[in-house]
Amino acid sequence: PAGAAPGEDTGLALPDVTTLPVLDPRIPFAVHSTDGEIAGLRAAGQDRPGAAFRPADKDLAGMVILDFGAFDAWYEEDELNVAHPRDPFHRIDVLPSSRQVQLEVDGAALADSSRPVLLFETMLPTRYYLPRADVTAELIPSDTKTWCAYKGQASYFSVQAGGRLIPDIAWTYPDPRHDALQVRGLIAFFDERVDVTLDGERRPRPVTPWS
């Protein structure tokens, strides 16, 4: 329920997997997709106004949604949750592959690999994680860091290609969480911003919040 009501100017359609708008984490907790009552709460001696929401939906009667960002830390048993609470219907699968993956942008080659590791994640396009030795473009380290609840903290790279600097177009997980250990140190590129040829066939660029 945390998010904005689906509409023409809310969310992004992922045509690969669904025609429904997707509510992404940039939408603030104060906006909800159902009617209900906003509430505050007191925790550890501190008032946290607006940190709770009681949905009016009868199927959620007696339940309260809490704002992940209003608290110092969240745990599932003894494991720290990062970025946002994990969704039991969201998962990742990581599989080694021998498919030929070639990446380019503006006609400039970025990578060519026959040993990719494919990461499948609910509601997202397949990501191709490649050994650094198979990346032909120069990777320029960026200060950008992001967190994924399922994979951990990512570090980013920019690339000089086609006569221009393309910022934060690739990333790696130096110390991934347990579900993503197989991609440790490998390099992935935004399929939304580069051209991917898989086994000799050019793939269309997917449309996602990162397009």
Side-chain angles (χ1 to χ4, degrees):
E8 292 182 359
D9 58 353
T10 303
L12 290 163
L14 302 185
D16 291 14
V17 291
T18 181
T19 57
L20 297 174
V22 174
L23 307 181
D24 67 67
R26 292 171 296 183
I27 299 170
F29 179 78
V31 183
H32 302 280
S33 59
T34 186
D35 294 332
E37 177 188 3
I38 297 173
L41 55 85
R42 174 179 286 271
Q46 293 185 345
D47 289 324
R48 300 172 193 264
F53 180 73
R54 295 189 184 95
D57 190 320
K58 64 180 181 181
D59 291 330
L60 299 175
M63 304 191 76
V64 175
I65 297 109
L66 300 178
D67 181 7
F68 187 86
F71 299 88
D72 298 330
W74 287 69
Y75 287 84
E76 187 173 348
E77 296 297 336
D78 290 339
E79 182 170 319
L80 178 68
N81 281 194
V82 298
H84 58 81
R86 290 194 292 264
D87 181 346
F89 300 104
H90 186 119
R91 61 176 291 164
I92 63 172
D93 290 289
V94 183
L95 299 173
S97 174
S98 57
R99 304 187 75 173
Q100 191 74 29
V101 177
Q102 297 168 301
L103 306 179
E104 63 179 46
V105 65
D106 297 338
L110 298 174
D112 190 341
S113 181
S114 59
R115 47 181 182 164
V117 173
L118 276 53
L119 190 147
F120 302 91
E121 183 167 359
T122 305
M123 299 292 289
L124 290 176
T126 304
R127 298 299 189 189
Y128 304 97
Y129 283 79
L130 312 178
R132 190 177 291 236
D134 294 347
V135 177
T136 55
E138 180 186 359
L139 297 172
I140 304 168
S142 163
D143 291 333
T144 301
K145 309 284 185 186
T146 62
W147 281 96
C148 170
Y150 308 92
K151 300 185 291 291
Q153 187 182 56
S155 299
Y156 284 75
F157 300 97
S158 301
V159 165
Q160 190 81 38
R164 64 189 177 102
L165 181 69
I166 307 174
D168 295 341
I169 197 172
W171 70 90
T172 187
Y173 285 96
D175 187 22
R177 308 199 81 183
H178 51 79
D179 287 344
L181 289 176
Q182 288 172 273
V183 302
R184 183 192 301 272
L186 301 182
I187 309 296
F189 287 79
F190 281 106
D191 295 22
E192 300 89 334
R193 298 164 58 194
V194 305
D195 296 313
V196 179
T197 300
L198 184 64
D199 289 338
E201 182 176 344
R202 177 68 61 87
R203 294 178 59 83
R205 293 187 181 185
V207 178
T208 77
W210 296 274
S211 294

